[in-house]
Amino acid sequence: MAVYSAEERLKTLFVAGLAGDASGYRSFLSELTRHLRGYLRKRIPQLHDDVEDLVQEILLAVHNARHTYRPDEPLTAWVHAIARYKLMDFFRTRARRESLHDPLDEHDDIFAESADEPTDAHRDIGKLLDHLPDKQRLSIVHVKLQGLSVAEASRLTGLSESAVKVSIHRGLKALATYVRRMA
């Protein structure tokens, strides 16, 4: 029984897969998966949770680029080039994502509560609602601000329930348009 190196075994299975041997290709992917896990665990030991995702990305890249492989060259060098590229891509993405998460511990003043906020908000909403016709303003006040049901607002305003719903919808749409113009 001959002992094959990883290079020889993987290359034999891969070339067979390229020639149409589905079983050989499945074996190649299975063995390559084990090799890639080891390769990645050595390079990112603190990020074991990301290893499987990277393995899958590399396997997909190998599969998609299989037509570029030249059988006269070492397979492992070709696969490692793809793996290194995917690993660098992973590091770039991770660095970009982490740069967005600066700690806010030093910035407690950003989250300081203002005692005036509820009063200011109430005043601002009142000013905005003043721009609406009574039917829309009253419907929004009763249902959205006071928490009454549409039926209760209907009884208070003398409008039908569907008219209350339409007034709320149109009023909110008008407020959104007004706020956009003011911004």
Side-chain angles (χ1 to χ4, degrees):
M1 182 164 127
V3 177
Y4 289 106
S5 69
E7 168 70 29
E8 292 169 334
R9 174 114 177 99
L10 285 171
K11 187 173 183 176
T12 301
L13 292 170
F14 185 67
V15 170
L18 290 177
D21 180 2
S23 174
Y25 193 66
R26 273 194 304 280
S27 295
F28 163 75
L29 291 174
S30 177
E31 286 194 32
L32 182 59
T33 298
R34 286 197 316 277
H35 287 285
L36 289 172
R37 280 189 191 118
Y39 173 83
L40 293 169
R41 285 183 181 139
K42 286 179 190 174
R43 281 151 184 82
I44 54 171
Q46 70 282 12
L47 302 172
H48 277 287
D49 295 342
D50 296 307
V51 167
E52 285 306 310
D53 290 340
L54 273 168
V55 166
Q56 293 305 312
E57 282 188 40
I58 294 167
L59 288 174
L60 186 58
V62 165
H63 176 75
N64 288 337
R66 67 190 183 280
H67 67 280
T68 66
Y69 175 68
R70 292 182 293 207
D72 56 323
E73 299 202 2
L75 176 71
T76 51
W78 180 74
V79 170
H80 282 161
I82 293 171
R84 278 191 307 273
Y85 174 78
K86 287 296 180 183
L87 191 56
M88 290 303 107
D89 217 17
F90 166 77
F91 286 135
R92 274 192 297 276
T93 302
R94 185 173 170 83
R96 246 190 327 267
R97 191 173 47 237
E98 286 179 359
S99 72
L100 298 175
H101 301 291
D102 290 334
L104 293 173
D105 296 336
E106 305 96 40
H107 305 290
D108 289 336
D109 56 321
I110 293 173
F111 299 108
E113 276 192 42
S114 167
D116 299 331
E117 283 182 22
T119 306
D120 292 345
H122 186 70
R123 185 191 66 237
D124 293 343
I125 290 172
K127 285 181 182 179
L128 284 173
L129 290 173
D130 286 342
H131 295 283
L132 296 176
D134 287 342
K135 188 165 76 167
Q136 293 175 356
R137 182 175 43 78
L138 290 174
S139 296
I140 290 172
V141 167
H142 291 314
V143 176
K144 297 296 184 181
L145 299 178
Q146 294 174 345
L148 300 177
S149 70
V150 172
E152 292 168 323
S154 172
R155 282 193 297 277
L156 284 173
T157 60
L159 300 169
S160 69
E161 289 184 24
S162 62
V164 168
K165 291 177 188 177
V166 169
S167 293
I168 291 170
H169 174 75
R170 288 181 180 165
L172 292 175
K173 189 173 179 179
L175 287 175
T177 302
Y178 177 76
V179 168
R180 263 186 300 229
R181 274 188 278 146
M182 299 306 294

